[in-house]
Amino acid sequence: MNRPLDLYDIQGNICKGYGRFGFPKARYFFLEFHDYAGGRNFLQQLIPLITTAEPWSEKKHPDQSDKPAATTNIAFTYHGLCALGLPRRSLDGFPQEFKMGMKPRAAILGDNGPSSPQHWDPVWQGDTVHAWVSINGQTQQAVEQRFAQIEELMQNVQGSVSIRPGHKGPNGSLLPYQDASAVFENGKATPKEHFGFVDGIGNPYFEGCGHDPERLPGRGKLNRKGKWEPLATGEFILGHIDEAKEYPLAPEPHLLARNGTYMVYRKLHENVKTFNDYVENMAKDFDGSRELLMAKFSGRWPDNGAPLVLAPDDKAKAELDRKMAELQKKAAEGDACAVGQLKALEEQWINFTYNDDKHGAKCPIGAHIRRTNTRGSLETEKGAFDRPGALVDRRRLMRRGLPYGGHDELTNDNSEQGIIFMCISASLERQFEFVQQQWVNYSNDFHLGNDRDVLIGANNGKLTDKHIVQVNPKDGKAPFFCTHLPRMVETRGGDYFFIPSITALDMIAQGIIDPT
C-alpha cells in the first residue's frame, strides 16, 4: 500500500486534467537552453509559477476559489537535461526509450508514410527541443498574460534560453508556439474533438491521486468480486510501488525521480474530410445509422460518449436519449429522486465491462476504446490470471491535452486541426509504446490478425486495412467489413519528456543533483 502523496511536491498536470477543471484554453511552447548556467537561472525564476497538484476548493463565486486563472508546468527531454548539466551517472539512469526520444522509435510507434518524422513540423527537426512548457487558462487572456510573464523571465537571462519556433498554423503559417483549445459549440466549451467524438472520458484512478472516491468505479482495476480498486501509484508516478509491487526504473539520486514521471507529447493531425467521406461511403451499406457506424469505430456514441455496451444499436440509443432527457428535466425541476437516477445512469458511461459482450456484438473487439482499455476482456478463460485485468492494469495511460485548430480556416485534410495528445505513465516502453504498437497497430491479442485501430492506426487504404463489426453468432447475420481504411490521423511531431517534482526541479535549478 502506498502512503499518501505529497501533492504539493507533484506538478499539477500529473494529477489534474485541466480541461475538466475549467481550463479550456492552452499554449504549449518548447525551449532551447544555450548555456546551463543561464538555463538554471531561468528555472529558478520560473519555479514560483509552477502549478502543483494541491487540491483546489470549489466555490460558487470565482473570486472565492483558490483555483488560479492560469496554470504552468514544465518537463524536459533527455537532451534538455544534458543541456542543463546533469551528472552523467544520473543521465545514464534514465530508461533507453527516453534517452532515444520519439523520432528513433518511429518504427515501433507506427509513424510511417505521412506520419514519418521527416514530415513533422519544423520545431521537431533536430535535437534542440530541450523543454516543454504548458500554460492552461480559464480564458485566452489568462494564457496570454502568463505567456508574457514567462517571456519576461527569459529576457532576464539574456539569450540563455529561447523558444523553439516552427509549429504549423492555419493558412500555411508557422508559429512560435502551439495553441490548443476545447471545441466550442454555441459559445460553450465541449469535450469533443474534430471528428465529432466526445473524448477523454475514462482516465485512470490511482492511489493518492486526490480525486473524489466516487470517480473510482470504472477507472481503477477490477478485482475478482467485480469491484474496482485504485491502481497503484507507481504506474503513474516514480518513487512509488507499482502493480508489480516494485519501484519503477528511475535515475539517481532518489530525489531526482521521486514524485516525477514521464510524458508523451504528440501532435496528431486529423484528416477530417477523409474521415467524413469514408463514414458517408461505408454507411450506405451499413445496417444502421451513420452515428452507429461511428460508434462502432470508437466504442462510444459520438454525440454524448455513451458506451455501446449500454446502447448497442440505434433503437437502444434512442431509448437512452429519451430516458436521459426525462431525468434531466425532472432533476432541473428539483426532483431529488431523478437527480439520483441521473447520476446512477451517467456512472454507466465509465463503470462497465465487456463480460456480456464476448463476441463484440455490442462493442466491436477492435473498437478504439476496447483496444486501449480492455477492461478485463483479455482474460478469455475465467480465472486464468490473479485478477481479470491483469493484462491491462500495467498498460494504463493518463490522457492529457486538448484539440487544436479547426476554427481559423475551412476544415479539410490540408487545414490545421487535430489533437495535442499527451499521456502520463511511469514507463514509456511498458505502457505507451506497448499500447501503440501491440493494441493500436496490431491485433494479435484480440485474435484480429494485423487489423489496426480505425481512428489512430497506421492504415494505408488497402483492402487488408480493415475493421470488423461483429454480430451475435446466434443472430445468423454476417459481420460488416469496413475495408480500405485510410489514414485518419497523421503524426506531426512529438517527443518524450520527464516531468520532475518540485523538489527535483529546484535541485536542477540549483545545480545540486548528486548521484553519489
Side-chain angles (χ1 to χ4, degrees), residues 92-358:
D92 288 346
F94 283 97
Q96 185 63 21
E97 65 274 13
F98 173 70
K99 289 188 281 189
M100 291 177 68
M102 188 177 288
K103 286 199 292 269
R105 313 285 284 185
I108 293 173
L109 303 178
D111 287 335
N112 52 36
S115 294
S116 299
Q118 64 263 33
H119 301 304
W120 291 5
D121 287 3
V123 64
W124 301 109
Q125 306 305 327
D127 294 319
T128 52
V129 169
H130 290 163
W132 160 93
V133 180
S134 72
I135 302 171
N136 286 71
Q138 296 192 44
T139 63
Q140 187 62 38
Q141 182 185 19
V143 171
E144 299 292 349
Q145 290 175 345
R146 179 58 58 88
F147 183 66
Q149 200 173 357
I150 296 174
E151 281 189 310
E152 189 174 330
L153 299 182
M154 294 174 62
Q155 292 170 6
N156 293 342
V157 295
Q158 300 178 339
S160 294
V161 181
S162 63
I163 293 178
R164 285 279 300 161
H167 302 265
K168 289 184 179 177
N171 303 306
S173 59
L174 277 179
L175 302 173
Y177 43 71
Q178 178 67 60
D179 275 346
S181 170
V183 173
F184 279 71
E185 291 179 354
N186 301 319
K188 292 185 177 180
T190 74
K192 291 186 176 181
E193 47 69 64
H194 296 293
F195 288 156
F197 291 102
V198 169
D199 194 22
I201 295 177
N203 264 322
Y205 189 106
F206 63 90
E207 292 174 344
C209 64
H211 297 318
D212 189 335
E214 288 190 357
R215 291 180 57 80
L216 170 60
R219 292 183 168 90
K221 60 184 178 185
L222 269 175
N223 64 25
R224 276 284 160 222
K225 297 179 180 178
K227 302 295 183 183
W228 296 91
E229 301 173 356
L231 288 153
T233 308
E235 292 298 311
F236 303 102
I237 302 180
L238 301 175
H240 302 271
I241 294 172
D242 61 22
E243 285 293 330
K245 310 299 181 188
E246 298 173 343
Y247 287 99
L249 178 67
E252 296 178 327
H254 176 66
L255 287 178
L256 172 61
R258 182 177 172 80
N259 289 336
T261 191
Y262 297 101
M263 184 188 77
V264 176
Y265 178 101
R266 283 165 76 79
K267 182 179 181 180
L268 300 179
H269 172 82
E270 293 182 282
N271 288 319
V272 173
K273 183 177 187 304
T274 294
F275 175 80
N276 288 331
D277 288 351
Y278 186 81
V279 172
E280 291 295 337
N281 187 45
M282 296 305 297
K284 295 174 184 174
D285 299 317
F286 179 62
D287 184 18
S289 67
R290 180 184 190 277
E291 288 70 28
L292 177 59
L293 181 59
M294 288 176 65
K296 294 289 185 180
F297 292 168
S298 164
R300 293 185 183 276
W301 287 87
D303 63 334
N304 63 5
L308 277 172
V309 293
L310 183 61
D313 53 39
D314 287 310
K315 182 179 178 182
K317 178 60 164 44
E319 174 57 24
L320 177 65
D321 288 347
R322 185 201 62 75
K323 188 175 181 180
M324 284 286 291
E326 179 180 302
L327 290 174
Q328 287 169 343
K329 182 174 182 294
K330 290 182 178 179
E333 293 169 350
D335 185 331
C337 181
V339 171
Q341 291 177 324
L342 182 61
K343 182 181 178 184
L345 183 58
E346 289 175 337
E347 286 176 353
Q348 295 180 59
W349 261 238
I350 301 295
N351 188 6
F352 64 88
T353 68
Y354 301 107
N355 289 346
D356 63 346
D357 189 32
K358 299 286 187 186

